[in-house]
Amino acid sequence: MLRYLTAGESHGPALTAIIEGLPSNLPLDLEFINHQLWRRQQGYGRGGRMKIESDRVEILSGVRFDKTMGTPVAMTIQNKDWRNWSEKMAITGQAPSSVVEITKPRPGHADLAGALKYNQEDIRNVLERASARNTATMVAVGSVARLLLRHFGIEVYGHVVELGSVRVEKFEGTIAEIAERAERSEVRVADPEVEKRIIEQIDAAKAAGDTLGGVFEIIVTGAPIGLGSYSHPDRKLDGRLAQALMSIQAIKGVEIGIGFDAARTPGSHVHDEIGYSQGAYQRRTNHAGGLEGGVTNGQPVVVRAAMKPIPTLYKPLESVDMRTKEPYRATIERSDVCAVPAAAVVGEAMVAWTIGQSFLEKFGGDSIEEIERNYKSYLQAIGER
C-alpha cells in the first residue's frame, strides 16, 4: 500500500514527508523532484514568500545510488524564512514578548474553526499548518509517484482553463503540445491571447486589494484499462481522485470528463460509443474523462478542479476578535493575489500520487522488476481479449 505522511509548519524549520510502499530499484531523479518544486513556486500573481524560498528536497533515507531500496523514503524541505521566525516559532521555551497573538480570524480560512476545535488562543497555531506552504510536500511526494508512472509510460499534464472571469475556449494540438504551451505561460494557459487578459485581471485584482480563483485541468495519458475498481465505493478511482484534489488548500469543486455538463446534456450525447479496430477497443469521444464505473477505460484521464480566491485579502473582510468579541477587520498575512497556476502543479502531483497508488495495487511487487513482469503479463492478457 503506497501512502505518505507529512509534517511541518509554514514558518517552522522545515517540511518533512515520509513515503511508504515504494518498490525497490526505482530510479529516483532528485533534480526532477526539485524542478517540480520550482514549478510550484512560479506563476503571475504570487506573493513575497516565493522570493524568499527556493525549495529543494533532501532525501534522508530509503534511497542509495539514485535508486529506492524498498524501505520508507524520508524527505525534507528547509524553510529559509525560518531564520526570521526562529524566536516567534521556537519549539522550546516560553513565548517572547515580541510575539503578538493573532485573534482575528480570516473568513474563508481554517482560522476560526481550527482555533475552536484545537482550543487555541493564538490563531497562528492553526494557520501555520493549514497554510498552502505545506503543498510543497504534496509536490515532493507526488513527483516520486510521477517518476514511478513515467517508468511505465504514463504521463501527467496540467494547465489552467479558467482564471477569474476569463476562460480558455479553444484547445489546439495534442495533449503534450497544449501542456508545452502552457508551461511557457506565466499563468499556465495554452492560449497567448487569453494569457494577456488573465494578467490584466490579476493586475486589477491586486490594485483593488482582492484575490482571484480559477479552474485547472489535469490529464493523464498512457494509463491502462483496469486501474481502480467498482467493487467497493472507497476503491473507485474517480472518488479517490476527487478526494486527492479536494485535499489541496482552497479547492472547492472537482469534475471528471465533461463533469457537470453531463447533467445538462441528453444521454445520447454524453456516453462514449465503443468500437473495435486494429486489435483494440476504440472511442471517438472521451466525455467520461477516461473513467467508467470507477475504473480506467484506456482513454486519457481528465479531471478539473476549481480553486476559490485566496482568503487572505489586503483589503480584509469583516471579522470578530475572538478575545473581545468586538468587530474587526480580519488579520492580514503575506499572501498571493492568485495561485491557480501553482495549484495546477500541486494538482498534477496529487493526481500522479493517486494513479500511482492504483497502479501499485494492480501490479504491485517488492521490486520494480517484479512490477514490470506483472504489467507486461497483464497488457498481453487484455490484448488477447
Side-chain angles (χ1 to χ4, degrees), residues 156-167:
V156 181
Y157 304 99
H159 63 125
V160 173
V161 296
E162 191 173 344
L163 203 154
S165 62
V166 181
R167 178 181 297 183

Side-chain angles (χ1 to χ4, degrees), residues 48-61:
R49 183 73 185 267
M50 296 305 105
K51 298 176 182 178
I52 297 172
E53 304 293 351
S54 180
D55 291 340
R56 293 186 68 82
V57 71
E58 180 183 2
I59 296 180
L60 305 178
S61 70

Side-chain angles (χ1 to χ4, degrees), residues 40 135 138-139 142 146 156-158 216-220 241 244-245 248 251 303 305 340-354:
R40 188 197 73 91
T135 59
M138 289 178 159
V139 171
R146 202 164 177 167
V156 181
Y157 304 99
F216 60 81
E217 180 178 77
I218 309 298
I219 305 172
V220 182
L241 285 167
L245 287 168
I248 301 170
I251 300 303
V303 57
V340 179
V345 177
V346 184
E348 291 173 10
M350 286 295 91
V351 168
W353 178 266
T354 308

Side-chain angles (χ1 to χ4, degrees), residues 19 48 111 114 121 150 199 296 304 311 371-372:
I19 303 175
D111 295 357
E121 297 293 328
R150 278 192 161 189
I199 288 175
T296 53
R304 295 185 187 88
I371 297 171
E372 287 171 348

